Amino acid sequence: MTKPDSKRSSVALVTGKPANAAEEQVNNGSSDPSVSGSPHHALTPPTPTKHKSAKQVSRDNLSRRNTESEVFDDGTNTFFWRAHTVTVLFILTCVLVYVTLLEETPQDTTYNTKRGIVASILVFLCFGVTQAKDGPFTRPHPAYWRFWLCVSVVYELFLIFVLFQTVRDGRQFMKYIDPKLGVALPERDYGGNCLIYDPGNTTDPWHNIWDKMDGFVPAHFLGWYIKTLVIRDWWMCMIISVMFEFLEYSLEHQLPNFSECWWDHWIMDVLVCNGLGIYAGMKTLGWLSMKPYQWQGLWNIPTYKGKIKRMAFQFTPYSWVKFEWKPASNLRRWLAVLGIIFMFLLAELNTFYLKFVLWMPPEHYLVLLRLVFFVNVGGVAMREIYDFMDDPKFYRKLGQQAWLVAAITVTEFLIVVKYDPRTIMLPIPFFVTQCWFLGIVLILSWTLWRFFIRDITLRYKDARRRKQEVTGDCGRPHGNGGTATPSGRSKLNGISESLRHRKS
């Protein structure tokens, strides 16, 4: 496995200039591949970007979309970036030999079963980290993202196994992971007394606000900060945030956890937690889009401060692509954006419904691990979806991580449907059904108008205008047979000629 090299990565090596000089060339927009010719080219001044040839400009356009940042890479390939397939295989073999020959196998069947399952998962992860296909991300290391790809496969297989169990066996199976699970839990109701200031409570009139200040407040902020970095669009984040609050209103008759006060929905959640998280995320996106992406080998940096800075930047993206969703540009992108919003909302709902049907308390570590899992795989999946939607001629199939995330989201929902169909099928209140029906009708009407009726109208107007132009051209006299009416300019020229003739 080698570090991905940019087209500009050989500038400093060929010219013999130090790395900072090459960086200045990139920053000034004057790096030119023509430097890599004969030795006397190193003495010639760099050609400005505006004088590039047409072939070079077209080549650059093909290699990098206009929303991707410029990258400089000196091409250093250290031990950190090399493949270690033989080393990992040797270590894995030594561990298995030790377990087989030197370790005595316990007589506990349950313990051996758990250890065998964990060992099988670890062997699969070792294979995937060294042999799986790389995704779109390379920082902090491609092996990190291959690890989460393999974790996605393991999690999907676990969900499939749970899906094929009976409801009782599936809930009791969770006891093998944690003996404290498998017990029905009461749902907490966040509604009730919705007074912001309670004059009846003389001890603390603001107790309703302090009761809502639990660990989910910073979790909401951090979650929406990360979602903004994943989606990279302010409008989509706000739509998903507001839509989820409407879903909580609509489904509070199914889960008491969704029952909240109006100010908890719109002030605490949408404006404070979600709004501040989205704002901080957009500021971070602005910094990432303006940040210079200049990569050097650690031992090529002379100062210790530069080395520490380079180590910190290892956890930032290798390059940056600004997402331009443009949902109204064509029907394909519009349906894709609607599908992304739908899957986001479904994954959010699965968080609450899985806890409910599998009897897991909100503070359990499995709930936290699931959120950490989606944080790591969501960014890769969204980038693969954007590439597949933005350039379908180059990306002919959906990315592997996006495929797995979609399968996981659907499988989680199927588990919820199978394990508690009675809760899912509870009748929705009539006024809620009316609101959702009206929203769906508005979306369908706008879709028909924007991508069908409007296009047909524009085509008809364009065809009519062309027909009128052709009719006008046919009605004009051709050749010398007709008498052309002189224009205003020709009349003025004639008057000036007569005046000049009289003066002479």
Side-chain angles (χ1 to χ4, degrees):
M1 178 190 65
T2 59
K3 185 177 180 180
D5 299 334
S6 173
K7 291 187 176 181
R8 303 177 181 270
S9 62
S10 60
V11 175
L13 299 177
V14 177
T15 58
K17 296 180 181 180
N20 56 0
E23 291 174 9
E24 291 177 1
Q25 278 189 326
V26 176
N27 289 336
N28 296 332
S30 58
S31 178
D32 193 353
S34 63
V35 181
S36 60
S38 57
H40 72 275
H41 283 140
L43 302 176
T44 59
T47 307
T49 307
K50 62 182 180 180
H51 296 301
K52 286 183 178 181
S53 62
K55 292 183 178 180
Q56 185 177 350
V57 173
S58 62
R59 194 182 303 116
D60 290 344
N61 291 337
L62 289 175
S63 63
R64 178 180 290 112
R65 54 165 69 95
N66 57 0
T67 56
E68 187 174 358
S69 59
E70 294 286 339
V71 180
F72 168 80
D73 193 342
D74 64 359
T76 303
N77 188 19
T78 61
F79 177 84
F80 180 72
W81 289 102
R82 293 171 191 156
H84 302 286
T85 54
V86 178
T87 304
V88 173
L89 178 61
F90 176 76
I91 295 174
L92 181 61
T93 304
C94 291
V95 172
L96 295 179
V97 169
Y98 171 79
V99 172
T100 304
L101 301 179
L102 301 179
E103 187 179 67
E104 184 178 355
T105 304
Q107 299 302 317
D108 189 349
T109 304
T110 303
Y111 174 76
N112 291 336
T113 302
K114 291 181 180 180
R115 194 172 68 155
I117 294 174
V118 172
S120 303
I121 294 173
L122 291 178
V123 171
F124 173 73
L125 292 179
C126 290
F127 167 78
V129 166
T130 56
Q131 301 291 342
K133 187 174 68 173
D134 288 336
F137 291 169
T138 59
R139 291 292 190 270
H141 197 281
Y144 177 81
W145 304 109
R146 292 199 293 266
F147 168 79
W148 284 108
L149 175 67
C150 297
V151 171
S152 304
V153 176
V154 174
Y155 183 51
E156 172 64 10
L157 295 177
F158 168 77
L159 293 175
I160 295 295
F161 176 81
V162 174
L163 180 64
F164 277 79
Q165 307 304 310
T166 62
V167 177
R168 179 182 176 278
D169 292 342
R171 288 170 176 168
Q172 295 302 315
F173 173 75
M174 304 301 294
K175 284 181 173 291
Y176 289 97
I177 302 175
D178 187 352
K180 297 179 182 179
L181 297 177
V183 180
L185 299 173
E187 278 286 321
R188 179 180 176 182
D189 187 357
Y190 285 82
N193 187 1
C194 291
L195 293 175
I196 298 178
Y197 181 83
D198 189 2
N201 192 325
T202 57
T203 305
D204 187 7
W206 306 95
H207 68 94
N208 287 329
I209 296 180
W210 308 130
D211 291 342
K212 303 300 186 295
M213 293 292 181
D214 50 14
F216 291 100
V217 173
H220 270 74
F221 171 82
L222 182 61
W224 275 103
Y225 173 77
I226 297 174
K227 290 172 189 174
T228 306
L229 298 182
V230 170
I231 300 175
R232 307 183 192 180
D233 186 81
W234 185 85
W235 280 105
M236 282 185 65
C237 290
M238 290 303 300
I239 290 172
I240 294 175
S241 175
V242 174
M243 286 292 297
F244 186 74
E245 300 303 323
F246 279 114
L247 284 174
E248 286 188 331
Y249 271 121
S250 305
L251 300 174
E252 62 182 13
H253 67 286
Q254 296 182 2
L255 293 185
N257 200 358
F258 288 154
S259 178
E260 298 177 350
C261 299
W262 65 268
W263 50 268
D264 198 1
H265 278 294
W266 304 111
I267 298 179
M268 292 290 294
D269 287 350
V270 175
L271 294 180
V272 178
C273 299
N274 302 356
L276 291 179
I278 294 173
Y279 176 79
M282 294 304 298
K283 288 296 182 182
T284 306
L285 291 176
W287 175 76
L288 289 173
S289 62
M290 299 298 294
K291 172 185 174 294
Y293 292 89
Q294 301 169 352
W295 303 106
Q296 291 178 266
L298 190 63
W299 307 114
N300 296 336
I301 302 175
T303 62
Y304 287 106
K305 182 179 179 180
K307 293 179 185 293
I308 295 174
K309 186 177 179 181
R310 173 64 180 83
M311 292 172 64
F313 280 168
Q314 183 67 27
F315 296 91
T316 61
Y318 178 79
S319 64
W320 189 252
V321 175
K322 181 182 178 182
F323 287 0
E324 294 181 352
W325 295 103
K326 300 178 182 177
S329 59
N330 55 64
L331 182 60
R332 184 176 183 270
R333 296 180 76 97
W334 169 249
L335 295 178
V337 170
L338 289 180
I340 292 171
I341 294 174
F342 174 78
M343 295 300 291
F344 249 93
L345 295 174
L346 184 60
E348 292 277 358
L349 291 176
N350 288 341
T351 305
F352 297 90
Y353 279 95
L354 279 177
K355 292 187 301 182
F356 181 77
V357 301
L358 294 179
W359 296 349
M360 289 188 294
E363 63 276 3
H364 197 270
Y365 71 90
L366 289 180
V367 179
L368 179 62
L369 286 179
R370 179 185 176 275
L371 296 178
V372 172
F373 165 76
F374 272 100
V375 165
N376 285 276
V377 303
V380 183
M382 190 60 62
R383 173 63 185 276
E384 291 177 346
I385 292 172
Y386 179 78
D387 289 338
F388 179 70
M389 182 183 68
D390 192 58
D391 193 2
K393 293 182 179 179
F394 184 78
Y395 299 93
R396 297 182 181 275
K397 61 180 182 179
L398 186 64
Q400 51 191 2
Q401 189 67 79
W403 191 94
L404 280 171
V405 168
I408 287 170
T409 305
V410 174
T411 308
E412 287 180 342
F413 179 72
L414 293 178
I415 291 175
V416 172
V417 173
K418 178 178 179 178
Y419 276 53
D420 198 350
R422 185 178 61 84
T423 300
I424 300 298
M425 300 305 294
L426 285 177
I428 301 177
F430 181 67
F431 69 93
V432 175
T433 306
Q434 285 181 319
C435 293
W436 282 104
F437 179 77
L438 178 62
I440 294 173
V441 169
L442 290 176
I443 293 176
L444 291 177
S445 301
W446 188 88
T447 304
L448 291 174
W449 175 82
R450 177 63 180 81
F451 300 107
F452 295 97
I453 299 176
R454 179 175 175 269
D455 288 349
I456 294 174
T457 305
L458 291 178
R459 290 173 189 167
Y460 173 74
K461 290 181 178 179
D462 186 57
R464 186 177 180 182
R465 179 179 56 82
R466 292 181 180 178
K467 185 177 180 181
Q468 291 177 351
E469 291 178 355
V470 172
T471 305
D473 292 339
C474 294
R476 293 176 184 175
H478 297 282
N480 298 326
T483 304
T485 304
S487 62
R489 182 177 296 274
S490 61
K491 290 180 179 179
L492 291 176
N493 291 336
I495 295 173
S496 60
E497 289 291 338
S498 62
L499 289 175
R500 193 179 299 111
H501 179 71
R502 291 177 183 177
K503 288 182 180 179
S504 62

